[in-house]
Amino acid sequence: MRKLSSTFIALSLATLVFGQEALWSGTNVKSPVVNADGTVTFAIHAPKASRVTVSGDFLSPSETGQPGQADLKEGKNGVWTFTTGKLSPELYSYTFRVNDMPILDPANVYVNRDIASLTSIFIVSDAKGDRGDLYRVNEVPHGDICKVWYDSPTLKTKRRMTIYTPAGYDKGRNYPVLYLLHGAGGDEDAWTTLGRTAQIMDNLIATGKAKPMIVVMPNGNPSCQAAPGEWSRGMYQPSFMESIAPGNQPAATMDESFPDIIKYVESHYKVAKNKRNRAICGLSMGGGHSFAITKRFPDTFDYVGLFSAGLHIGQNSQGSFYDALQSSKEVQQQLSKLFAAKPHLYWIAIGKTDFLYQQNADLRRYLDEKGYPYEYRESDGGHIWRNWRIYLTEFAQKIFK
């Protein structure tokens, strides 16, 4: 088992220490507080600190693209505070630094894990139906989230995935299925925690904006059976490149093994077993998987979504993606068969400052030259969950109509 990083240990210990101090100091610190005017106030009891900062995605990013940072001011009883300007409806993440030591907010129990990073989170909402409202739990019928294990003969192992079934599932039949894939470093938990899939689907379905559907969120790392700590490898520290680390070579690729997932779903759930009732989409690596899976199995999915897709052809990483497409007769034939099968929707979405922007532009250039139809969605921002939650929200409303 790998050793935990010093930053991770420091973050956990510091949070415990400051949390205990807040409990027994007699200081009633509330943080974060979403104010009536849309500003948010952060507070932390740190009487011995010389400097306290907060960093988060609600602040302007640094030149390196890292979350922005702001200083808290010390007030009475050693309580440091900072109030933002008015924030737009959204789910936000942040951490504190006390004397340059990163810690979670000890007054906030709501935390997300993104690969090996932990951040405190909060939601801002101005009105019913806005983005923040869509991401929170509302008084609507709720679907169920299950963690299931399935056999993958192609990968020669058992694997775990997350499955959302809509409210009233037991009373219905022949549901359509959306296969939703995560990015590099993620796992079958990523879309339900960072992506707020259950909340988004519950709210969209309850308001009639999306059809009731099953959402399948598999683990996209062929060398891993499940999320960290959920399989026999134990409580190792996850890493961004875990799926392709040396010594972890799987028996097959994700696209080669994907029929094992479909077989399990269609033999264990009340689903319609045809192309027009299957959709697939994914972010980053998962967008690349969606590209690879659909060109390998051109008659399987009627709806395809590429969110900030990491696009690759074989092991060739030299030159542009457009050049790779032009040089691969096999991929050209696969894409020809895919679009000859006339998918109802081929949807490409990416942020203007995403580092994968050019790859996706290369794909669009190739599709344009071939006359293959697709829809394109360009948003502000880069390679971030804020965009991917938006893309899922919009894609879910386009499918199975």
Side-chain angles (χ1 to χ4, degrees), residues 241-261:
M241 302 303 288
E242 181 63 37
S243 62
I244 56 174
N248 285 337
Q249 297 305 315
T253 64
M254 184 64 178
D255 53 302
E256 290 169 338
S257 66
F258 208 79
D260 296 343
I261 295 171

PDB file of all heavy atoms in Angstrom, residues 241-261:
ATOM      1  N   MET A 241      -3.148   9.139 -12.730  1.00  0.00           N
ATOM      2  CA  MET A 241      -2.826   8.182 -13.787  1.00  0.00           C
ATOM      3  C   MET A 241      -2.927   6.739 -13.317  1.00  0.00           C
ATOM      4  O   MET A 241      -2.304   5.855 -13.872  1.00  0.00           O
ATOM      5  CB  MET A 241      -1.419   8.454 -14.331  1.00  0.00           C
ATOM      6  CG  MET A 241      -1.248   9.860 -14.876  1.00  0.00           C
ATOM      7  SD  MET A 241      -2.421  10.263 -16.189  1.00  0.00           S
ATOM      8  CE  MET A 241      -1.763   9.258 -17.534  1.00  0.00           C
ATOM      9  N   GLU A 242      -3.733   6.503 -12.280  1.00  0.00           N
ATOM     10  CA  GLU A 242      -3.830   5.163 -11.713  1.00  0.00           C
ATOM     11  C   GLU A 242      -4.173   4.106 -12.755  1.00  0.00           C
ATOM     12  O   GLU A 242      -3.661   2.996 -12.735  1.00  0.00           O
ATOM     13  CB  GLU A 242      -4.883   5.146 -10.604  1.00  0.00           C
ATOM     14  CG  GLU A 242      -5.051   3.796  -9.912  1.00  0.00           C
ATOM     15  CD  GLU A 242      -3.804   3.359  -9.181  1.00  0.00           C
ATOM     16  OE1 GLU A 242      -3.126   4.220  -8.604  1.00  0.00           O
ATOM     17  OE2 GLU A 242      -3.508   2.156  -9.210  1.00  0.00           O
ATOM     18  N   SER A 243      -5.041   4.440 -13.697  1.00  0.00           N
ATOM     19  CA  SER A 243      -5.544   3.435 -14.627  1.00  0.00           C
ATOM     20  C   SER A 243      -4.493   2.944 -15.611  1.00  0.00           C
ATOM     21  O   SER A 243      -4.637   1.878 -16.194  1.00  0.00           O
ATOM     22  CB  SER A 243      -6.736   3.996 -15.408  1.00  0.00           C
ATOM     23  OG  SER A 243      -6.333   5.110 -16.187  1.00  0.00           O
ATOM     24  N   ILE A 244      -3.420   3.729 -15.793  1.00  0.00           N
ATOM     25  CA  ILE A 244      -2.405   3.293 -16.746  1.00  0.00           C
ATOM     26  C   ILE A 244      -1.027   3.239 -16.104  1.00  0.00           C
ATOM     27  O   ILE A 244      -0.010   3.347 -16.754  1.00  0.00           O
ATOM     28  CB  ILE A 244      -2.350   4.222 -17.985  1.00  0.00           C
ATOM     29  CG1 ILE A 244      -2.123   5.676 -17.574  1.00  0.00           C
ATOM     30  CG2 ILE A 244      -3.616   4.093 -18.807  1.00  0.00           C
ATOM     31  CD1 ILE A 244      -1.931   6.601 -18.758  1.00  0.00           C
ATOM     32  N   ALA A 245      -1.004   3.083 -14.766  1.00  0.00           N
ATOM     33  CA  ALA A 245       0.277   3.013 -14.059  1.00  0.00           C
ATOM     34  C   ALA A 245       1.022   1.739 -14.437  1.00  0.00           C
ATOM     35  O   ALA A 245       0.408   0.708 -14.726  1.00  0.00           O
ATOM     36  CB  ALA A 245       0.039   3.049 -12.552  1.00  0.00           C
ATOM     37  N   PRO A 246       2.372   1.765 -14.474  1.00  0.00           N
ATOM     38  CA  PRO A 246       3.150   0.567 -14.792  1.00  0.00           C
ATOM     39  C   PRO A 246       2.781  -0.588 -13.857  1.00  0.00           C
ATOM     40  O   PRO A 246       2.597  -0.401 -12.659  1.00  0.00           O
ATOM     41  CB  PRO A 246       4.594   1.033 -14.561  1.00  0.00           C
ATOM     42  CG  PRO A 246       4.555   2.516 -14.737  1.00  0.00           C
ATOM     43  CD  PRO A 246       3.218   2.941 -14.214  1.00  0.00           C
ATOM     44  N   GLY A 247       2.667  -1.770 -14.418  1.00  0.00           N
ATOM     45  CA  GLY A 247       2.328  -2.941 -13.624  1.00  0.00           C
ATOM     46  C   GLY A 247       0.838  -3.154 -13.459  1.00  0.00           C
ATOM     47  O   GLY A 247       0.405  -4.149 -12.884  1.00  0.00           O
ATOM     48  N   ASN A 248       0.027  -2.215 -13.940  1.00  0.00           N
ATOM     49  CA  ASN A 248      -1.418  -2.340 -13.825  1.00  0.00           C
ATOM     50  C   ASN A 248      -2.069  -2.524 -15.196  1.00  0.00           C
ATOM     51  O   ASN A 248      -3.126  -1.977 -15.458  1.00  0.00           O
ATOM     52  CB  ASN A 248      -2.009  -1.089 -13.154  1.00  0.00           C
ATOM     53  CG  ASN A 248      -1.748  -1.067 -11.665  1.00  0.00           C
ATOM     54  OD1 ASN A 248      -1.523  -2.092 -11.062  1.00  0.00           O
ATOM     55  ND2 ASN A 248      -1.775   0.116 -11.081  1.00  0.00           N
ATOM     56  N   GLN A 249      -1.435  -3.265 -16.062  1.00  0.00           N
ATOM     57  CA  GLN A 249      -1.976  -3.440 -17.405  1.00  0.00           C
ATOM     58  C   GLN A 249      -3.175  -4.380 -17.385  1.00  0.00           C
ATOM     59  O   GLN A 249      -3.084  -5.524 -16.956  1.00  0.00           O
ATOM     60  CB  GLN A 249      -0.891  -3.986 -18.337  1.00  0.00           C
ATOM     61  CG  GLN A 249       0.299  -3.051 -18.510  1.00  0.00           C
ATOM     62  CD  GLN A 249      -0.114  -1.663 -18.971  1.00  0.00           C
ATOM     63  OE1 GLN A 249      -0.930  -1.521 -19.873  1.00  0.00           O
ATOM     64  NE2 GLN A 249       0.439  -0.636 -18.349  1.00  0.00           N
ATOM     65  N   PRO A 250      -4.332  -3.904 -17.822  1.00  0.00           N
ATOM     66  CA  PRO A 250      -5.542  -4.727 -17.795  1.00  0.00           C
ATOM     67  C   PRO A 250      -5.565  -5.728 -18.939  1.00  0.00           C
ATOM     68  O   PRO A 250      -4.773  -5.643 -19.886  1.00  0.00           O
ATOM     69  CB  PRO A 250      -6.656  -3.696 -17.946  1.00  0.00           C
ATOM     70  CG  PRO A 250      -6.015  -2.596 -18.748  1.00  0.00           C
ATOM     71  CD  PRO A 250      -4.582  -2.537 -18.295  1.00  0.00           C
ATOM     72  N   ALA A 251      -6.524  -6.649 -18.865  1.00  0.00           N
ATOM     73  CA  ALA A 251      -6.650  -7.675 -19.900  1.00  0.00           C
ATOM     74  C   ALA A 251      -7.237  -7.122 -21.187  1.00  0.00           C
ATOM     75  O   ALA A 251      -7.095  -7.728 -22.250  1.00  0.00           O
ATOM     76  CB  ALA A 251      -7.522  -8.822 -19.376  1.00  0.00           C
ATOM     77  N   ALA A 252      -7.904  -5.971 -21.115  1.00  0.00           N
ATOM     78  CA  ALA A 252      -8.527  -5.369 -22.298  1.00  0.00           C
ATOM     79  C   ALA A 252      -8.733  -3.887 -22.018  1.00  0.00           C
ATOM     80  O   ALA A 252      -8.506  -3.407 -20.909  1.00  0.00           O
ATOM     81  CB  ALA A 252      -9.847  -6.055 -22.616  1.00  0.00           C
ATOM     82  N   THR A 253      -9.153  -3.169 -23.042  1.00  0.00           N
ATOM     83  CA  THR A 253      -9.444  -1.740 -22.879  1.00  0.00           C
ATOM     84  C   THR A 253     -10.872  -1.543 -22.396  1.00  0.00           C
ATOM     85  O   THR A 253     -11.692  -2.465 -22.421  1.00  0.00           O
ATOM     86  CB  THR A 253      -9.248  -0.997 -24.207  1.00  0.00           C
ATOM     87  OG1 THR A 253     -10.202  -1.497 -25.156  1.00  0.00           O
ATOM     88  CG2 THR A 253      -7.840  -1.190 -24.753  1.00  0.00           C
ATOM     89  N   MET A 254     -11.176  -0.322 -22.011  1.00  0.00           N
ATOM     90  CA  MET A 254     -12.530  -0.006 -21.558  1.00  0.00           C
ATOM     91  C   MET A 254     -13.543  -0.219 -22.676  1.00  0.00           C
ATOM     92  O   MET A 254     -14.624  -0.781 -22.454  1.00  0.00           O
ATOM     93  CB  MET A 254     -12.579   1.441 -21.055  1.00  0.00           C
ATOM     94  CG  MET A 254     -13.917   1.857 -20.469  1.00  0.00           C
ATOM     95  SD  MET A 254     -14.318   0.904 -18.989  1.00  0.00           S
ATOM     96  CE  MET A 254     -15.883   1.664 -18.529  1.00  0.00           C
ATOM     97  N   ASP A 255     -13.212   0.231 -23.888  1.00  0.00           N
ATOM     98  CA  ASP A 255     -14.170   0.071 -24.982  1.00  0.00           C
ATOM     99  C   ASP A 255     -14.361  -1.394 -25.353  1.00  0.00           C
ATOM    100  O   ASP A 255     -15.478  -1.816 -25.666  1.00  0.00           O
ATOM    101  CB  ASP A 255     -13.769   0.912 -26.204  1.00  0.00           C
ATOM    102  CG  ASP A 255     -12.357   0.679 -26.672  1.00  0.00           C
ATOM    103  OD1 ASP A 255     -11.437   0.880 -25.867  1.00  0.00           O
ATOM    104  OD2 ASP A 255     -12.164   0.307 -27.847  1.00  0.00           O
ATOM    105  N   GLU A 256     -13.297  -2.192 -25.291  1.00  0.00           N
ATOM    106  CA  GLU A 256     -13.435  -3.615 -25.592  1.00  0.00           C
ATOM    107  C   GLU A 256     -14.324  -4.325 -24.582  1.00  0.00           C
ATOM    108  O   GLU A 256     -15.061  -5.257 -24.923  1.00  0.00           O
ATOM    109  CB  GLU A 256     -12.057  -4.281 -25.616  1.00  0.00           C
ATOM    110  CG  GLU A 256     -11.195  -3.872 -26.796  1.00  0.00           C
ATOM    111  CD  GLU A 256      -9.768  -4.332 -26.666  1.00  0.00           C
ATOM    112  OE1 GLU A 256      -9.304  -4.594 -25.520  1.00  0.00           O
ATOM    113  OE2 GLU A 256      -9.075  -4.425 -27.704  1.00  0.00           O
ATOM    114  N   SER A 257     -14.278  -3.890 -23.323  1.00  0.00           N
ATOM    115  CA  SER A 257     -15.003  -4.578 -22.252  1.00  0.00           C
ATOM    116  C   SER A 257     -16.404  -4.031 -22.015  1.00  0.00           C
ATOM    117  O   SER A 257     -17.156  -4.581 -21.205  1.00  0.00           O
ATOM    118  CB  SER A 257     -14.207  -4.480 -20.943  1.00  0.00           C
ATOM    119  OG  SER A 257     -14.132  -3.140 -20.491  1.00  0.00           O
ATOM    120  N   PHE A 258     -16.783  -2.972 -22.711  1.00  0.00           N
ATOM    121  CA  PHE A 258     -18.051  -2.310 -22.387  1.00  0.00           C
ATOM    122  C   PHE A 258     -19.283  -3.193 -22.586  1.00  0.00           C
ATOM    123  O   PHE A 258     -20.263  -3.049 -21.840  1.00  0.00           O
ATOM    124  CB  PHE A 258     -18.202  -1.008 -23.176  1.00  0.00           C
ATOM    125  CG  PHE A 258     -19.043   0.008 -22.465  1.00  0.00           C
ATOM    126  CD1 PHE A 258     -18.510   0.773 -21.444  1.00  0.00           C
ATOM    127  CD2 PHE A 258     -20.384   0.175 -22.790  1.00  0.00           C
ATOM    128  CE1 PHE A 258     -19.282   1.696 -20.763  1.00  0.00           C
ATOM    129  CE2 PHE A 258     -21.166   1.102 -22.115  1.00  0.00           C
ATOM    130  CZ  PHE A 258     -20.617   1.865 -21.102  1.00  0.00           C
ATOM    131  N   PRO A 259     -19.312  -4.104 -23.548  1.00  0.00           N
ATOM    132  CA  PRO A 259     -20.491  -4.973 -23.661  1.00  0.00           C
ATOM    133  C   PRO A 259     -20.786  -5.759 -22.384  1.00  0.00           C
ATOM    134  O   PRO A 259     -21.951  -6.116 -22.142  1.00  0.00           O
ATOM    135  CB  PRO A 259     -20.123  -5.904 -24.819  1.00  0.00           C
ATOM    136  CG  PRO A 259     -19.220  -5.072 -25.675  1.00  0.00           C
ATOM    137  CD  PRO A 259     -18.386  -4.290 -24.695  1.00  0.00           C
ATOM    138  N   ASP A 260     -19.774  -6.020 -21.538  1.00  0.00           N
ATOM    139  CA  ASP A 260     -20.023  -6.710 -20.265  1.00  0.00           C
ATOM    140  C   ASP A 260     -20.940  -5.883 -19.375  1.00  0.00           C
ATOM    141  O   ASP A 260     -21.791  -6.425 -18.659  1.00  0.00           O
ATOM    142  CB  ASP A 260     -18.703  -6.963 -19.530  1.00  0.00           C
ATOM    143  CG  ASP A 260     -17.766  -7.890 -20.277  1.00  0.00           C
ATOM    144  OD1 ASP A 260     -18.234  -8.601 -21.193  1.00  0.00           O
ATOM    145  OD2 ASP A 260     -16.557  -7.907 -19.946  1.00  0.00           O
ATOM    146  N   ILE A 261     -20.762  -4.563 -19.404  1.00  0.00           N
ATOM    147  CA  ILE A 261     -21.598  -3.663 -18.601  1.00  0.00           C
ATOM    148  C   ILE A 261     -23.026  -3.664 -19.125  1.00  0.00           C
ATOM    149  O   ILE A 261     -23.993  -3.793 -18.359  1.00  0.00           O
ATOM    150  CB  ILE A 261     -21.008  -2.243 -18.613  1.00  0.00           C
ATOM    151  CG1 ILE A 261     -19.647  -2.238 -17.925  1.00  0.00           C
ATOM    152  CG2 ILE A 261     -21.962  -1.248 -17.957  1.00  0.00           C
ATOM    153  CD1 ILE A 261     -18.883  -0.930 -18.067  1.00  0.00           C
TER     154      ILE A 261
END
